[in-house]
Amino acid sequence: MMKNISILGSTGSIGTQALEVVSQNSEALNIVGLTTNTRIDLLEKQIEAYGPRLVCVMDGDAALVLEKQLQKKGSGVEVVTGLAGLIAVSTASENDLLLTAVSGMIGLQPTLAAIHAGIDIALANKETLVAGGQLVIDAVAAAGVSLLPVDSEHSAIFQCLMGNKHEEIDRIIITASGGPFRGQSREQLQSVSLAQALKHPNWSMGKKITIDSATLMNKGLEVIEAKWLFNLESDQIDVVVHPQSIIHSMVEFIDHSTIAQLGMPDMALPIQIAFFYPDRIANNRQALDFNQVRELSFEEPDRQAFPCLQLAYDALDIGGTMACVLNAANEIAVARFLNQEIHFLDIPRINQLVMEKHQVIARPNLEDVLVVDAWARELALSIN
């Protein structure tokens, strides 16, 4: 039976890999909608290859350019724009599954809209659960849809939990590569460059998530996301540095048996797992060759040198809107670092300062989340 899929962020790293999975399984997967921010040239190629009914270009000017180009070709593809356009794609009536693969808080409202429309979610956007975790989980429960993780770490945990009971979990262990600065001290990190921060040792990702990996904020966001995905407390979620990125995460059960999911560093597998769940299917990706695996090593993350990880645990323990504030501040701080306006260690400094100034709302609604998000962004922009 054909599964209809829309992808938010189809021109990004996850989106393009997801479309490769679609290409390899075209007899089973069909594309309904695609979206981009401004990359209309690539989106136009994707339209030709996958034939969506509907596409969204977030940038209005770029949307007009694409619309004219498609009209010249006689294409009947509908072009929409802005947040309303994202929501239109996410809630398209044909959708069986929505892959949320945009970067940042922009994914929250379209994902919620899709859930309310009864559409299953494949989630590759941490910020949706970090900022609006309770809202999303409540909506999923009310709608009776599936929420399938696409992050490699959360997909690994999801796979390890198959066939096991929630009450049998003692803890989950999220693995981290350690990023490009593993083993460096806080003093050494004072002088790192943007180019150095963008050189991830194992994964090819977008710029924002690559910087988050360098600061370990990516792991912090994954800790918060795991709380909502797997209904756990913060003391049940550990992070361990595993430089080889072969073990993608582990679950330790109450009998102290630990189950791990292993594989090559390749996002196609977690995407495929989400697209075909509950089934597993064959693929032509590279298998893990244990004859070539010389070492699997582990070490404790340095929370002094990489304070973003501790800030995430703090936000999780405080609860309410604090995780939303941390996420918003971090998005701005990372953008400022990418623009070379601030230094690497200014990212955690700005995050902490914004958190310290926030008055937490314990049970926020969507409007509260959006207001708090905007407040935190404005403050993070103003901090020197």
Side-chain angles (χ1 to χ4, degrees):
M1 182 176 173
M2 186 72 75
K3 181 176 286 188
N4 291 320
I5 297 172
S6 285
I7 301 175
L8 303 185
S10 65
T11 60
S13 175
I14 297 295
T16 53
Q17 291 175 82
L19 287 172
E20 290 177 17
V21 174
V22 172
S23 293
Q24 292 158 9
N25 299 278
S26 58
E27 76 293 343
L29 303 174
N30 176 58
I31 291 297
V32 173
L34 300 172
T35 83
T36 189
N37 185 20
T38 59
R39 299 179 68 184
I40 57 174
D41 290 344
L42 178 53
L43 182 60
E44 189 173 0
K45 292 177 182 177
Q46 293 177 347
I47 291 168
E48 292 175 1
Y50 299 98
R53 174 181 69 79
L54 177 68
V55 299
C56 174
V57 182
M58 284 297 291
D59 182 87
D61 292 338
L64 288 172
V65 172
L66 177 63
E67 199 166 27
K68 290 177 182 176
Q69 290 173 188
L70 292 175
Q71 286 172 351
K72 287 179 182 177
K73 294 180 176 180
S75 171
V77 175
E78 182 182 357
V79 180
V80 292
T81 190
L83 178 60
L86 281 185
I87 292 173
V89 171
S90 70
T91 58
S93 59
E94 306 98 311
N95 284 342
D96 298 310
L97 180 74
L98 175 72
L99 171 60
T100 303
V102 289
S103 176
M105 172 74 172
I106 193 66
L108 175 59
Q109 288 174 272
T111 301
L112 279 173
I115 293 168
H116 292 313
I119 297 164
D120 291 335
I121 304 297
L123 191 65
N125 168 263
K126 298 177 180 65
E127 295 85 354
T128 288
L129 278 181
V130 172
Q134 191 68 62
L135 295 172
V136 173
I137 296 304
D138 289 348
V140 165
V145 300
S146 295
L147 180 61
L148 304 164
V150 174
D151 273 344
S152 62
E153 295 82 2
H154 297 109
S155 177
I157 295 162
F158 182 71
Q159 293 175 65
C160 291
L161 289 174
M162 289 179 183
N164 292 287
K165 299 174 184 175
H166 182 271
E167 59 268 25
E168 295 171 345
I169 303 170
D170 186 42
R171 64 175 178 143
I172 62 173
I173 304 158
I174 299 173
T175 57
S177 69
F181 306 129
R182 180 176 66 88
Q184 295 194 21
S185 67
R186 191 173 180 84
E187 289 70 29
Q188 289 173 304
L189 294 176
Q190 289 176 350
S191 59
V192 302
S193 68
L194 174 59
Q196 290 172 320
L198 287 171
K199 287 184 179 178
H200 195 281
N202 298 334
W203 296 93
S204 174
M205 305 175 291
K207 288 184 178 181
K208 195 267 181 182
I209 193 173
T210 302
I211 300 302
D212 282 346
S213 295
T215 65
L216 291 194
M217 178 53 84
N218 196 43
K219 287 306 125 178
L221 296 178
E222 287 173 7
V223 167
I224 299 171
E225 190 181 7
K227 180 260 191 304
W228 297 112
L229 282 170
F230 306 113
N231 189 25
L232 299 171
E233 300 301 321
S234 62
D235 61 0
Q236 293 179 283
I237 309 169
D238 286 343
V239 173
V240 65
V241 175
H242 169 53
Q244 294 81 20
S245 294
I246 296 295
I247 295 177
H248 297 302
S249 278
M250 299 171 270
V251 178
E252 182 182 320
F253 294 93
I254 53 175
D255 61 358
H256 301 303
S257 171
T258 300
I259 295 179
Q261 189 266 328
L262 287 71
M264 297 297 292
D266 182 354
M267 284 304 300
L269 177 61
I271 292 167
Q272 180 179 298
I273 292 283
F275 280 2
F276 287 94
Y277 178 80
D279 299 323
R280 285 186 185 270
I281 66 164
N283 62 32
N284 59 3
R285 313 299 290 195
Q286 183 180 357
L288 182 61
D289 183 354
F290 283 94
N291 293 317
Q292 300 298 317
V293 177
R294 295 288 177 258
E295 181 182 23
L296 297 176
S297 61
F298 308 93
E299 58 196 59
E300 187 175 353
D302 184 348
R303 299 193 194 192
Q304 296 297 317
F306 302 94
C308 283
L309 179 58
Q310 185 59 52
L311 291 176
Y313 274 100
D314 293 344
L316 183 54
D317 288 336
I318 292 166
T321 48
M322 189 57 85
C324 175
V325 163
L326 173 58
N327 176 70
N330 184 69
E331 282 192 33
I332 294 300
V334 170
R336 292 179 67 185
F337 176 68
L338 287 170
N339 289 333
Q340 302 189 63
E341 299 171 17
I342 61 173
H343 296 294
F344 184 75
L345 289 180
D346 288 328
I347 297 174
R349 180 179 66 85
I350 289 171
N351 291 344
Q352 183 171 357
L353 287 172
V354 176
M355 288 175 67
E356 288 172 353
K357 293 182 181 295
H358 178 53
Q359 294 184 333
V360 175
I361 302 171
R363 294 282 299 187
N365 56 31
L366 179 58
E367 184 179 355
D368 292 330
V369 169
L370 297 176
V371 168
V372 164
D373 174 79
W375 170 85
R377 289 170 189 276
E378 186 175 352
L379 181 57
L381 274 171
S382 70
I383 295 173
N384 294 322

